[in-house]
Amino acid sequence: MADCIFCKIAAGEIPSHKVYEDETCIAILDVCPVAKGHTLIIPKKHAENLFALSEEEASEIMKRVHHVAGQLKERLHPDGLNLVQNNGEAAGQTVMHFHMHAIPRFANDDVKINWHMPQADQEVLSALCKEITA
Ligand code: AMP
Ligand code: ZN
């Protein structure tokens, strides 16, 4: 994709801090890290988001996510780690090339990945469950 920043990074046309690379994916440090070691796992082949990936491609990327998360855990010794993946502008996606955020978490860090979670009505959940599965 001509104007895609992550395609350019994957092709080596734009510099990045690469912490992992194989034939399918690269992993780079996020330029605006929310925490120490905030890393993006990016497939080399352009796909806008999760829905543009085949099941097999998604599964191959997830293997790399697992590997890189392990690498971060081993090297940085975080107390936890968030995986975050945004699809679409409404979900906060700003770079329209699929990527997974791996965010190491440290006890008492100031990272805020939270949202309001009101208790749902059981009937509402039941109807929604039907809507999704029927
Ligand atoms: P998202 O909001 O999920 O689309 O996340 C895009 C992420 O890409 C943001 O966290 C940005 O800080 C990060 N980002 C954008 N440009 C670069 C770049 N050139 N190198 C590394 N990270 C980048
Ligand atoms: Zn791209």
Side-chain angles (χ1 to χ4, degrees), residues 40-99:
L40 304 172
I41 299 94
I42 306 170
K44 289 182 174 178
K45 184 181 159 203
H46 183 86
E48 185 168 333
N49 57 34
L50 183 70
F51 307 110
L53 293 171
S54 68
E55 199 173 285
E56 193 181 340
E57 286 169 332
S59 153
E60 287 303 314
I61 295 165
M62 198 60 201
K63 285 184 198 166
R64 276 67 179 190
V65 170
H66 182 266
H67 176 86
V68 172
Q71 188 183 352
L72 293 171
K73 185 170 188 302
E74 191 182 311
R75 298 302 175 97
L76 301 181
H77 311 292
D79 301 304
L81 184 138
N82 291 112
L83 293 178
V84 177
Q85 200 275 306
N86 303 322
N87 296 287
E89 233 175 275
Q93 186 178 6
T94 58
V95 177
M96 298 302 164
H97 175 135
F98 178 95
H99 53 281

Side-chain angles (χ1 to χ4, degrees), residues 5-6 9 14-17 28-34 38 40 42 84-87 91-97 99 101:
I5 189 161
F6 285 175
I9 288 174
I14 289 181
S16 66
H17 294 279
I28 63 170
L29 296 179
D30 196 302
V31 277
C32 301
V34 301
H38 181 171
L40 304 172
I42 306 170
V84 177
Q85 200 275 306
N86 303 322
N87 296 287
Q93 186 178 6
T94 58
V95 177
M96 298 302 164
H97 175 135
H99 53 281
H101 297 254

